[in-house]
């Protein structure tokens, strides 16, 4: 089986369409989406529809959750908060109820899929290092746990002596973000894991940042949300 794992689309239709076009040519059996379909960008409804056209394997992200509970306490900054308010006003009741129905995690094959962390995913904690990743070693039973949330791609081995991906070890893998990369590289990011070949690969692709950013400005969303797309921060 070949799985494409995408995450953190954040209402960026240009990035999502580009990623899906490429994934279509990569002999993938299933696409899994780790959530945060909405928030920050200008096309929440379009992105939700596009993701659901391609897969029913979708986990809940904190921004998806916030759309249904905007008053709840999140560690969102001012810009994220105003984007959530904008998204709440923009989406239909039906679309919001689709987001509400998403599970926190999915277990499939040898993989655990979750937006933030395998332990208490509803706390929306972040994994930024191998040290932090290893704290979750016993929080999942599958071989590999795929996460998003930080928007920074990375492969974290549960064994400090193992430095790169292999088909027998245990790993937490962050696939990065489709719609708002934050590792200083503005190209969209996703991963493909192949259970037959025993490989995992992270892909980075350029997309039409200009259009995505212009839509954010036209929508009256915070300017900084458009600017950051050009620098990947
Ligand atoms: Zn996110």
């Amino acid at each position: 089986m070949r799985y494409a794992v995408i995450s953190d689309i954040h209402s960026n239709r240009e990035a999502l369409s580009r990623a899906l076009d490429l994934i279509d040519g990569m002999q993938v059996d299933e696409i899994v989406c780790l959530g945060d379909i909405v928030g920050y960008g200008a096309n929440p409804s379009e992105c939700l529809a596009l993701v659901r056209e391609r897969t029913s394997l979708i986990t809940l992200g904190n921004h998806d959750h916030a759309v249904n509970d905007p008053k709840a306490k999140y560690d969102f900054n001012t810009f994220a908060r105003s984007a959530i308010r904008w998204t709440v006003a923009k989406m239909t009741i039906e679309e919001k109820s689709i987001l509400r129905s998403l599970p926190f995690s999915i277990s499939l094959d040898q993989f655990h899929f979750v937006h933030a962390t395998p332990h208490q995913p509803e706390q929306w904690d972040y994994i930024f290092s191998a040290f932090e990743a290893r704290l979750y070693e016993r929080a999942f039973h599958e071989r590999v746990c795929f996460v998003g949330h930080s928007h920074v791609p990375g492969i974290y081995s549960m064994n400090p002596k193992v430095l790169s991906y292999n088909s027998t070890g245990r790993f937490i893998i962050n696939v990065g973000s489709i719609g708002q990369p934050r590792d200083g590289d503005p190209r969209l990011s996703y991963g493909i894991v192949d259970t037959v070949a025993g490989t995992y690969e992270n892909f980075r692709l350029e997309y039409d940042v200009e259009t995505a950013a212009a839509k954010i400005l036209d929508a009256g969303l915070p300017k900084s949300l458009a600017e950051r797309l050009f620098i990947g921060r």
Side-chain angles (χ1 to χ4, degrees), residues 101-173:
S101 71
L102 297 176
F104 276 106
S105 64
I106 293 172
S107 177
L108 185 66
D109 215 332
Q110 40 189 293
F111 307 120
H112 188 84
F113 299 100
V114 66
H115 183 70
T117 61
H119 179 64
Q120 297 185 323
E122 73 283 358
Q123 296 294 317
W124 312 115
D125 290 325
Y126 290 89
I127 297 170
F128 279 114
S129 66
F131 173 78
E132 287 172 348
R134 284 183 204 124
L135 299 176
Y136 295 99
E137 181 175 4
R138 295 192 185 163
F140 61 104
H141 308 296
E142 301 82 353
R143 193 175 68 77
V144 179
C145 175
F146 284 96
V147 300
H149 196 40
S150 71
H151 300 202
V152 177
I155 301 173
Y156 305 116
S157 172
M158 294 300 102
N159 179 349
K161 290 180 184 155
V162 174
L163 298 178
S164 56
Y165 182 81
N166 62 58
S167 60
T168 54
R170 298 191 75 226
F171 298 86
I172 290 181
I173 296 178

Side-chain angles (χ1 to χ4, degrees), residues 8-10 35-36 40 62-63 115 149-151 177 180 182:
D8 297 276
I9 290 125
H10 288 297
D36 271 7
Y40 297 130
N62 50 322
H63 288 253
H115 183 70
H149 196 40
S150 71
H151 300 202
S177 168
Q180 196 197 77
R182 289 182 196 159

